[in-house]
Amino acid sequence: MSEYDNHQHQARHNVSNDQIRRALDVIHDARSANSLRQEASQYLEKIKSDEEAPYYGFKLGADKSQAAIVRHYGLSLLEHAVRHGWADYSAEQSILVRGWELDLAQNVTDSDPFFLRTKIATIWVEIAKRSWALDWMDMDECLVRLWEGSLASKELVLTILETLSEDVFGHEDATAGLRGTDLNRACVDIFTPMSVLLEQFPSRETSVNVRYGEEGWLFRMAELLNWCNTGGQAEKACAAKLLVTLRSVISWVIPKSISASNLVARLCQCLASSHLPVQLGAVDVLYYLYNHPRFSDEDFKALVGPMYMHDTVELLQRLYQWSCVDANSIDEEKYLLSKKLSELIYNLGRLLEERPDLVPIDSGLDNFLRLLINVAKNNSLQVSITALHVWVKILSSERLASSTPVASFMGELLEVCSQRVIKYEALPDDSPNPSIIFLNEDLDTMPERHAFLGNYMRFCKTIVERIVQQQPADALYHILSQAEQVITHLYDGEPAFSVQTYSKTSVPFLKLDAQCSVVEAGLKGSSRWLIGQAEGAVGQEQEVVIRNLKVWCERILGLNFEDPLVEERVVQLAVGFATGPLKKDTEFASSIFEYILNIQFLDNPSFPAYSEAVKDLQGFCIHELQRLAMKFADYLITIFDDIEGKVTQVIQNTPHDEHLRSRYYSILFIITHRAASVDPGPRQERLEAFLQPLVAQWQNDVLTNSLSSFSSFCELLGCGGIQQYMSKRALHVIPDWSMHLLDDEGKEVQAHMQHALERLPLRATKAFLSVSVEKLDQRSPPFELACRLWEKDIPLILPNLLRSISQAHAFHDPQNWKDLPPEMSGIVRRILTDRFWQVGISTGSRDEFYARVGDTKNTVEGLASSIRATVRAVRETGYKLLCYMSLLGEHFYSYKELPGPLSQALFTDAYALSTHQMAVMVETIRPVIENCPVASRSHFLPPILAALFGELDSKASVEWEKIEHRTREEAAGRVSLDEEMRDESILRQMTYSSVMLVVGLLDPHRPNPPGPETTNGTVPNGLAHVEHGNVRSFILGTPEILKPLILFCTHAIRMRDTRSCSLITRVLGSLVPEFETMGPIDTEVREFVSTEVLKACITSLHDSYFVDLQKDLAQLIASIIIIYVPRTDTPKQILLSLPSMPPEKIDRAIQKLYKAHQNTRQQRAIVLDLLEGLRGVSISEQGKIAKSDPKKVRSAIQERYMTVDVQADGQEKQPSPYLGGVADMFGQL
């Protein structure tokens, strides 16, 4: 028996201080053996359960002769006793423990380490949360007595007040939540001056008095701040601590108490301090003060108005100028001040825009606007973006935008934004550009950078747009002159254009792209300005602006461009002119149409980058021609013969690309379809002539036979011999396919697949079907014509379309590749795993990724890529065709025999799809579900949704289990972290897509899709009886759908994606009240929720991964208990099955939940308190990783500019904890 075990046999009162110290030394000594360290830990833990542990803790904590680590352990004993034993203490014991804490607090000195003083403050707050304003009525007086002591005592009081504020108002603290609003009221009482309390609440309850003195803590703190500002270093340090406390309380104190304490003036004095931490703290407090959502007029004048006065703005200006840093020598603390100051200025600008009428007449508004301009010019985009955001608000304000002070800064602001509209993400990371250096300092991940730069560009463009709207002639002259100067001198100082060295991110293109973006913003502004003019009144200024725009555009189109990407950007700009401010000039639009049709660039396959750009240009030109055809069909029909001749000529010049040919024909289809002046009879005949060849292809017996079996489907795609080729070349033993060149046979197979895909009618049908229904009002004549055109063709297309989707899914199942030997079965997954670039996960940029893909075209990897692309085209084009058909409403959904075959085609082999491919399917077919008319729900949705949620549940559950297994393997060093991060990110996307589908379907406010009304608003015969409830009510009343959906939701609670889990808990929370009645469906669902959903919630609550979701999980648990326990005993039985969960504890919690029926925060607190022993602890609380550097912690406004698409928790990925014991918690059922 070890010495620690022997010690347990000693008397309780003989706990040895030396023994505790030695145990602590063993634990903290890196040289200690694990077994000895474990024994020491067990010994120290056992002491906590001793009845005398609080006394031991007090004696150790108060003994200043002990080492700090021993004193800290002693204080931990006392804290543990308060946290876990207070409810069982008698009144005498509570008074005794509280007396120990007061003794500890009264004896705090400067020599005590900071962590000991913090622990003493924590114990104080833990006691206060349990007894203040109940049986501890003189706490405020105790704090005031301490406040009258040394600086160390004052700092202790500040820490106590800060911690109390955070637990009561800031955090979802369970103990504070159990007290309801009592602690909130008590805090407001002691912080507010008595005069303000009497004025604000003249009839307030006074029978329970918790305050001491007239001043209140806000006034005391303001006075201390004033005193500290005149003191030395110790006082300055105290001021910094005081400001941290003020930051915590400033958002909830009564605004009038702030003005009564003269706090704003004290904070402005701090801005002029020579002590940087004091300046930072003051800026922080002011930021949170002015982040207040709404001030009364009186409070605005008293608290906000002074910030616009000349002296205050000058102070802010000087502080800002001093805080600016050089990108090549960044002073972190000054740079942090610069960022925080810009956020404060943002809040002041926001308040100015919201309440300009309350800004003092004699304020320095011009100076404040000058400050905004200076901040906008900052080389750090993170500093600059807040000022740009304010300028967007100001220029969007009718009152401010037209004011003289704002107008005087528009020219300078236009110049700033014009210079900043560049693609920063295209610049290399090692660029000497100061903005890039700051970006590298501020943003760690690519998702953050993309989102941030997207927001920055949007603000710049919006400002340009608003300025042009206010000053169209002058602003456009500046913008167009500057753009023409750049465009006509693109290659000045740069190497001449060369196909051999072609790059999509060349400097000339980036310069042109920036100017085009500025011009496009100007076009939007000019369009808004023209719309705002009197209807039909075209004055001289309008005529001049329109004429100048037209002349400028024609001049640019007269230039010759060798770069296809430059030409593409110019085309996009020209179409913006035609569809924007010049949209009434149909002849101009016709000239743009003709210009695009005449564009010719010769492809050069020898240079892949250039060749790809030429193909992109061709596709983009067709898209823009389609846009113009939709917009100006009535005019283009008048010159239809000329257009048809030109389109026919272009088609003849592209004989080897059936997809491009069909897209060109679709332009003629659009004009004929949408022009109002064409006679109905000839129009329909001509349109049917476009479609008949396509329909004939779908009905072709050869196609039908080719889709009848897997082998014939492979032959159809041109890859019938691919299995034999792979076996013959033994591709499974080649480690890196990208390094192995294709032989002639492989190249022939690759070419054959491309040709075979072009012969299929999929993409051509998509081209015509999409332009038939896109961007059309469902009551417009063109849409009704589209319905008549496709109504009779859909039944002819659907059978083979569904077969093609089914076979494309089956292609992913290795069991269908029967010609491969067993040892090569794994090669199928390798071939069919998509390569794609993903923000934040993939290495390198998007362009670099596509360049690498292009470089492997003639390798085995290139052959695999061709196979993937071919099958993907069949699969995803099939999905899109279903989506376009769904827009036809009842003309698609009314086929009674459709749901079964459609469900089989989509889901029978969906298990074989990869996670990424499943996510694509969910997103793509989502409209097919959402567009279902009310009349067709009962026969269409049940088989589709039941199969879909069954597949999603199975796929997600299996894949998350694989991730869990691989995480454990990674912890053992057997899995690539990059590979796991990629797979987990993709799985998160699939999970989120699936969850968003659930959220959309169960949204109680979601409107029904357009019904089968006729143009006169009447309902056709036979449909008047149809139930028009929303889709949520339909699903809840259809067990066939509801059961797999709730099962998926239940499993989603355990899926390790916080975003999805949070949404699902709220969805389930909204469903719980739906099943409180006693119907057969209600009873079954209620029992399932009371069992399986409750178990899943408790299990996730136990998992430290979900620590940030404990609030959501607790709310769902509370809802289940409150609503279901009166009707079933199941939730209570589940709770009883948990370890250390006595019935009386559960009964007390249930009764408290009933009483807190309207207080959701208190409900959560009761549940968290009930399950305290089972709740997970965050990784940082466990001490496994260091807490975030305060300098790196982002404010809410910074986070707002960085919306991230992928999961980014800000924590390192941790191995999944072993939760085997959690499964056993329910073993007693």
Side-chain angles (χ1 to χ4, degrees):
M1 183 179 292
S2 72
E3 59 183 317
Y4 297 109
D5 289 328
N6 285 327
H7 187 75
Q8 301 309 306
H9 297 284
Q10 297 178 14
R12 224 176 25 229
H13 295 282
N14 295 329
V15 172
S16 167
N17 292 342
D18 289 339
Q19 194 77 1
I20 291 174
R21 180 183 54 76
R22 289 165 59 192
L24 291 168
D25 287 343
V26 168
I27 291 172
H28 291 92
D29 189 344
R31 297 168 297 180
S32 299
N34 286 336
S35 58
L36 195 59
R37 184 181 289 114
Q38 188 175 13
E39 289 181 9
S41 297
Q42 291 172 352
Y43 165 67
L44 294 177
E45 283 298 314
K46 286 179 180 178
I47 295 178
K48 290 182 180 180
S49 60
D50 194 301
E51 290 182 3
E52 300 297 327
Y55 177 73
Y56 303 151
F58 163 65
K59 297 300 290 184
L60 287 174
D63 188 354
K64 293 183 181 289
S65 66
Q66 295 290 338
I69 190 173
V70 176
R71 293 181 63 195
H72 186 269
Y73 171 74
L75 294 175
S76 298
L77 288 177
L78 185 56
E79 180 189 14
H80 182 272
V82 172
R83 284 181 181 271
H84 300 284
W86 189 269
D88 299 322
Y89 286 174
S90 65
E92 293 76 12
Q93 289 174 318
S94 299
I95 294 171
L96 182 63
V97 172
R98 197 160 61 225
W100 294 340
E101 169 60 19
L102 290 173
D103 188 82
L104 290 168
Q106 290 163 359
N107 287 284
V108 164
T109 64
D110 290 333
S111 61
D112 288 323
F114 174 74
F115 64 89
L116 289 182
R117 286 181 275 171
T118 301
K119 180 64 76 172
I120 291 172
T122 300
I123 298 170
W124 184 298
V125 172
E126 290 300 324
I127 295 174
K129 288 187 296 187
R130 291 162 172 82
S131 64
W132 181 39
L134 289 174
D135 56 4
W136 187 11
M137 305 305 297
D138 65 341
M139 187 192 82
D140 196 38
E141 180 180 357
C142 296
L143 289 173
V144 173
R145 300 299 181 206
L146 283 174
W147 186 257
E148 294 168 350
S150 64
L151 277 180
S153 295
K154 287 181 170 62
E155 290 184 7
L156 176 65
V157 172
L158 291 171
T159 303
I160 290 171
L161 293 174
E162 178 195 352
T163 307
L164 184 62
S165 169
E166 289 296 322
D167 284 358
V168 173
F169 293 96
H171 302 150
E172 189 80 11
D173 184 83
T175 305
L178 288 171
R179 297 285 305 278
T181 59
D182 292 348
L183 291 178
N184 304 55
R185 288 195 299 268
C187 286
V188 171
D189 259 10
I190 67 172
F191 270 87
T192 308
M194 179 60 76
S195 59
V196 175
L197 272 180
L198 293 175
E199 180 184 350
Q200 295 289 107
F201 309 106
S203 59
R204 59 187 285 269
E205 174 63 45
T206 58
S207 60
V208 178
N209 182 29
V210 297
R211 63 178 291 125
Y212 179 78
E214 299 291 317
E215 304 94 336
W217 282 106
L218 208 60
F219 183 87
R220 295 185 190 103
M221 292 163 72
E223 289 298 301
L224 179 62
L225 187 62
N226 185 46
W227 177 76
C228 287
N229 277 330
T230 61
Q233 288 301 312
E235 287 75 14
K236 291 291 192 298
C238 183
K241 171 59 186 170
L242 191 154
L243 289 165
V244 172
T245 304
L246 275 175
R247 181 185 64 187
S248 173
V249 306
I250 202 69
S251 59
W252 57 261
V253 294
I254 300 173
K256 194 172 291 296
S257 66
I258 300 173
S259 53
S261 304
N262 198 23
L263 186 58
V264 172
R266 307 298 189 208
L267 292 170
C268 288
Q269 290 173 3
C270 292
L271 297 179
S273 170
S274 59
H275 194 58
L276 186 54
V278 171
Q279 292 173 317
L280 278 167
V283 170
D284 252 353
V285 177
L286 288 169
Y287 167 78
Y288 283 103
L289 170 60
Y290 297 124
N291 205 39
H292 199 283
R294 186 72 180 174
F295 289 104
S296 69
D297 289 359
E298 185 180 352
D299 291 335
F300 189 99
K301 292 175 182 177
L303 298 177
V304 186
M307 298 303 292
Y308 304 113
M309 301 305 290
H310 183 274
D311 291 344
T312 309
V313 175
E314 282 295 316
L315 175 61
L316 292 173
Q317 183 75 262
R318 290 196 304 272
L319 183 60
Y320 167 72
Q321 292 294 345
W322 178 81
S323 71
C324 292
V325 297
D326 185 347
N328 295 307
S329 179
I330 298 177
D331 182 322
E332 287 192 4
E333 289 195 327
K334 286 179 68 175
Y335 184 42
L336 179 63
L337 175 61
S338 191
K339 289 189 283 190
K340 287 182 175 293
L341 190 56
S342 74
E343 294 170 10
L344 167 60
I345 293 168
Y346 164 82
N347 270 341
L348 293 173
R350 174 183 58 80
L351 291 168
L352 168 66
E353 180 267 330
E354 291 175 357
R355 313 286 288 282
D357 53 312
L358 297 180
V359 175
I361 298 175
D362 56 345
S363 67
L365 186 56
D366 285 1
N367 288 339
F368 183 74
L369 295 177
R370 164 55 57 194
L371 175 60
L372 281 176
I373 287 286
N374 291 341
V375 176
K377 290 180 178 178
N378 196 294
N379 284 326
S380 166
L381 302 187
Q382 196 168 74
V383 173
S384 169
I385 194 171
T386 55
L388 294 180
H389 196 173
V390 172
W391 276 113
V392 169
K393 290 178 175 292
I394 289 174
L395 293 173
S396 301
S397 165
E398 292 184 8
R399 178 166 180 175
L400 290 175
S402 57
S403 67
T404 301
V406 172
S408 65
F409 287 100
M410 284 188 180
E412 192 173 355
L413 183 60
L414 180 63
E415 185 65 26
V416 171
C417 292
S418 298
Q419 292 173 355
R420 294 290 174 91
V421 182
I422 60 176
K423 286 188 174 179
Y424 288 98
E425 58 266 39
L427 300 178
D429 286 342
D430 58 355
S431 168
N433 186 309
S435 295
I436 295 297
I437 297 174
F438 280 118
L439 276 175
N440 293 335
E441 171 74 14
D442 294 328
L443 304 177
D444 299 325
T445 68
M446 288 301 293
E448 292 174 340
R449 178 173 294 202
H450 281 290
F452 174 83
L453 290 176
N455 285 319
Y456 195 91
M457 291 302 104
R458 190 178 76 253
F459 290 150
C460 287
K461 293 174 185 178
T462 303
I463 289 171
V464 173
E465 178 184 338
R466 296 289 190 266
I467 292 176
V468 171
Q469 185 181 357
Q470 291 293 324
Q471 301 177 354
D474 293 341
L476 282 173
Y477 176 80
H478 173 81
I479 290 171
L480 297 178
S481 299
Q482 187 179 63
E484 186 170 6
Q485 175 68 19
V486 172
I487 293 172
T488 54
H489 297 85
L490 273 182
Y491 290 92
D492 287 4
E494 298 292 334
F497 177 79
S498 171
V499 174
Q500 290 84 348
T501 59
Y502 184 76
S503 169
K504 289 186 175 182
T505 57
S506 66
V507 172
F509 171 72
L510 293 178
K511 291 195 298 185
L512 174 127
D513 178 69
Q515 292 304 313
C516 288
S517 295
V518 175
V519 173
E520 286 168 340
L523 293 179
K524 288 184 180 180
S526 62
S527 295
R528 292 169 67 99
W529 172 70
L530 289 169
I531 292 171
Q533 304 306 299
E535 185 68 28
V538 180
Q540 183 178 359
E541 187 178 12
Q542 289 96 307
E543 290 181 351
V544 170
V545 167
I546 291 172
R547 182 170 63 252
N548 288 343
L549 287 172
K550 181 176 180 179
V551 170
W552 186 90
C553 184
E554 289 173 342
R555 198 158 56 239
I556 296 302
L557 293 181
L559 302 175
N560 292 320
F561 303 106
E562 298 178 279
D563 186 340
L565 198 56
V566 169
E567 183 70 77
E568 180 180 317
R569 196 66 182 86
V570 170
V571 166
Q572 183 181 8
L573 181 61
V575 173
F577 274 83
T579 58
L582 303 182
K583 62 184 177 183
K584 294 183 179 180
D585 191 339
T586 53
E587 290 187 0
F588 176 76
S590 175
S591 69
I592 300 299
F593 191 94
E594 183 179 359
Y595 173 85
I596 299 173
L597 266 179
N598 288 327
I599 291 175
Q600 289 186 349
F601 273 76
L602 293 178
D603 194 1
N604 192 336
S606 302
F607 303 99
Y610 177 79
S611 176
E612 182 184 352
V614 170
K615 292 175 182 176
D616 288 344
L617 173 62
Q618 288 177 323
F620 184 79
C621 285
I622 295 175
H623 177 266
E624 296 300 275
L625 287 170
Q626 290 174 332
R627 281 185 63 199
L628 291 171
M630 292 178 183
K631 186 83 173 177
F632 301 100
D634 287 328
Y635 178 78
L636 295 177
I637 197 68
T638 63
I639 54 173
F640 185 81
D641 291 342
D642 294 337
I643 293 174
E644 185 176 31
K646 183 61 180 176
V647 168
T648 302
Q649 182 182 345
V650 172
I651 289 173
Q652 290 172 350
N653 292 331
T654 56
H656 301 300
D657 194 329
E658 290 297 328
H659 180 51
L660 275 181
R661 289 160 63 91
S662 62
R663 291 187 69 192
Y664 274 115
Y665 278 125
S666 72
I667 298 167
L668 301 178
F669 182 93
I670 292 170
I671 298 172
T672 307
H673 177 218
R674 305 207 180 192
S677 59
V678 182
D679 292 337
R683 184 214 305 267
Q684 184 153 349
E685 289 179 7
R686 180 165 188 129
L687 293 175
E688 288 177 346
F690 283 109
L691 302 183
Q692 286 311 308
L694 289 176
V695 177
Q697 282 184 274
W698 283 107
Q699 292 184 283
N700 190 297
D701 290 340
V702 174
L703 177 63
T704 303
N705 293 332
S706 297
L707 294 171
S708 62
S709 67
F710 180 75
S711 59
S712 59
F713 177 70
C714 292
E715 293 290 344
L716 177 67
L717 297 187
C719 53
I722 194 67
Q723 298 182 57
Q724 292 79 3
Y725 176 81
M726 288 189 291
S727 298
K728 184 166 55 176
R729 297 292 185 273
L731 298 187
H732 62 295
V733 300
I734 300 175
D736 187 352
W737 286 353
S738 64
M739 302 299 294
H740 195 84
L741 291 175
L742 278 179
D743 54 17
D744 291 340
E745 183 181 354
K747 292 178 181 178
E748 183 179 347
V749 171
Q750 196 175 40
H752 189 38
M753 280 191 293
Q754 178 62 33
H755 183 60
L757 182 61
E758 290 176 357
R759 293 199 310 268
L760 294 176
L762 280 163
R763 294 199 289 184
T765 307
K766 176 188 169 186
F768 283 99
L769 185 53
S770 64
V771 299
S772 298
V773 294
E774 279 187 326
K775 300 178 182 178
L776 283 177
D777 185 337
Q778 294 199 5
R779 292 179 177 84
S780 65
F783 182 80
E784 293 176 355
L785 175 58
C787 291
R788 291 196 300 272
L789 280 172
W790 289 98
E791 183 178 20
K792 63 181 183 301
D793 292 337
I794 286 177
L796 305 178
I797 294 173
L798 273 174
N800 278 339
L801 172 61
L802 297 183
R803 291 188 187 104
S804 65
I805 294 173
S806 179
Q807 292 292 1
H809 286 184
F811 199 89
H812 291 264
D813 188 348
Q815 294 184 7
N816 291 323
W817 294 54
K818 301 185 184 300
D819 292 337
L820 285 179
E823 66 271 14
M824 293 188 69
S825 60
I827 204 173
V828 178
R829 181 66 62 188
R830 185 176 173 186
I831 291 172
L832 296 176
T833 299
D834 289 323
R835 288 188 298 173
F836 54 91
W837 184 83
Q838 188 171 10
V839 174
I841 301 296
S842 303
T843 57
S845 68
R846 185 192 301 268
D847 290 335
E848 290 171 342
F849 167 77
Y850 284 114
R852 288 196 301 271
V853 171
D855 291 342
T856 63
K857 182 178 180 180
N858 295 320
T859 66
V860 173
E861 181 57 47
L863 175 61
S865 182
S866 296
I867 297 172
R868 285 194 295 270
T870 301
V871 179
R872 181 170 59 247
V874 174
R875 189 178 65 244
E876 296 184 5
T877 306
Y879 299 158
K880 289 300 293 182
L881 284 174
L882 292 173
C883 290
Y884 290 132
M885 289 179 182
S886 75
L887 293 174
L888 297 171
E890 289 293 345
H891 302 284
F892 168 70
Y893 291 96
S894 61
Y895 299 112
K896 298 295 183 182
E897 64 275 12
L898 173 62
L902 176 59
S903 176
Q904 292 174 9
L906 288 173
F907 307 123
T908 298
D909 293 304
Y911 67 88
L913 298 177
S914 70
T915 308
H916 172 65
Q917 291 154 358
M918 182 74 87
V920 171
M921 183 183 72
V922 172
E923 282 296 321
T924 314
I925 70 166
R926 185 171 166 180
V928 178
I929 297 167
E930 295 176 342
N931 291 337
C932 180
V934 176
S936 298
R937 280 178 186 160
S938 59
H939 87 275
F940 183 83
L941 287 183
I944 301 296
L945 289 179
L948 172 59
F949 283 114
E951 286 299 319
L952 290 178
D953 183 38
S954 173
K955 186 70 175 180
S957 298
V958 168
E959 294 299 327
W960 277 112
E961 178 57 36
K962 288 180 182 178
I963 291 292
E964 294 292 301
H965 176 73
R966 292 177 62 178
T967 301
R968 293 189 288 270
E969 292 289 302
E970 175 207 323
R974 293 191 289 269
V975 176
S976 164
L977 180 60
D978 289 342
E979 181 182 351
E980 187 195 350
M981 285 179 61
R982 183 195 66 234
D983 292 348
E984 186 167 341
S985 176
I986 297 168
L987 181 53
R988 289 185 195 281
Q989 292 173 22
M990 190 203 83
T991 305
Y992 184 68
S993 295
S994 305
V995 167
M996 287 306 297
L997 175 62
V998 174
V999 171
L1001 290 173
L1002 296 182
D1003 180 0
H1005 305 295
R1006 183 184 185 87
N1008 287 325
E1013 293 183 354
T1014 61
T1015 53
N1016 62 5
T1018 61
V1019 179
N1021 291 333
L1023 294 178
H1025 68 283
V1026 173
E1027 173 64 40
H1028 279 73
N1030 62 18
V1031 70
R1032 173 189 171 98
S1033 60
F1034 173 76
I1035 290 174
L1036 297 185
T1038 310
E1040 184 181 350
I1041 302 173
L1042 184 61
K1043 291 179 181 179
L1045 185 149
I1046 289 188
L1047 186 61
F1048 167 76
C1049 291
T1050 305
H1051 293 157
I1053 294 175
R1054 294 292 302 129
M1055 295 173 189
R1056 301 172 77 80
D1057 177 54
T1058 54
R1059 184 173 56 166
S1060 299
C1061 183
S1062 177
L1063 288 170
I1064 281 296
T1065 56
R1066 296 173 195 179
V1067 167
L1068 286 169
S1070 77
L1071 294 184
V1072 168
E1074 301 279 357
F1075 302 100
E1076 59 178 326
T1077 59
M1078 299 306 292
I1081 296 178
D1082 298 332
T1083 302
E1084 185 178 356
V1085 173
R1086 185 167 56 245
E1087 289 302 311
F1088 181 87
V1089 171
S1090 299
T1091 307
E1092 301 305 325
V1093 173
L1094 185 56
K1095 283 183 181 180
C1097 289
I1098 295 171
T1099 306
S1100 288
L1101 200 67
H1102 179 84
D1103 188 342
S1104 60
Y1105 178 86
F1106 296 97
V1107 68
D1108 292 333
L1109 293 178
Q1110 288 184 358
K1111 179 171 69 173
D1112 297 329
L1113 292 164
Q1115 188 61 62
L1116 178 54
I1117 293 171
S1119 298
I1120 294 171
I1121 294 173
I1122 292 171
I1123 296 174
Y1124 287 171
V1125 164
R1127 292 161 180 81
T1128 174
D1129 200 43
T1130 304
K1132 187 175 178 180
Q1133 293 303 315
I1134 294 295
L1135 294 173
L1136 284 170
S1137 71
L1138 299 172
S1140 303
M1141 192 64 69
E1144 57 273 13
K1145 183 178 181 181
I1146 296 173
D1147 291 337
R1148 285 198 303 268
I1150 292 174
Q1151 292 306 313
K1152 290 179 182 177
L1153 283 171
Y1154 290 156
K1155 293 178 182 178
H1157 190 61
Q1158 300 299 321
N1159 189 330
T1160 55
R1161 182 185 176 186
Q1162 196 168 10
Q1163 291 173 15
R1164 294 192 294 268
I1166 293 166
V1167 170
L1168 293 175
D1169 181 64
L1170 175 66
L1171 301 175
E1172 174 68 30
L1174 300 175
R1175 284 196 288 134
V1177 182
S1178 68
I1179 300 298
S1180 59
E1181 287 181 31
Q1182 292 173 348
K1184 293 185 179 179
I1185 61 172
K1187 293 188 177 180
S1188 303
D1189 182 351
K1191 296 177 183 177
K1192 295 293 185 180
V1193 174
R1194 298 196 181 103
S1195 66
I1197 192 171
Q1198 289 174 337
E1199 292 290 351
R1200 194 188 319 165
Y1201 298 133
M1202 300 174 197
T1203 303
V1204 184
D1205 294 330
V1206 297
Q1207 186 82 7
D1209 294 330
Q1211 295 183 349
E1212 294 179 19
K1213 181 170 176 55
Q1214 299 294 325
S1216 301
Y1218 174 68
L1219 298 176
V1222 183
D1224 297 332
M1225 291 194 298
F1226 307 105
Q1228 299 175 27
L1229 287 179

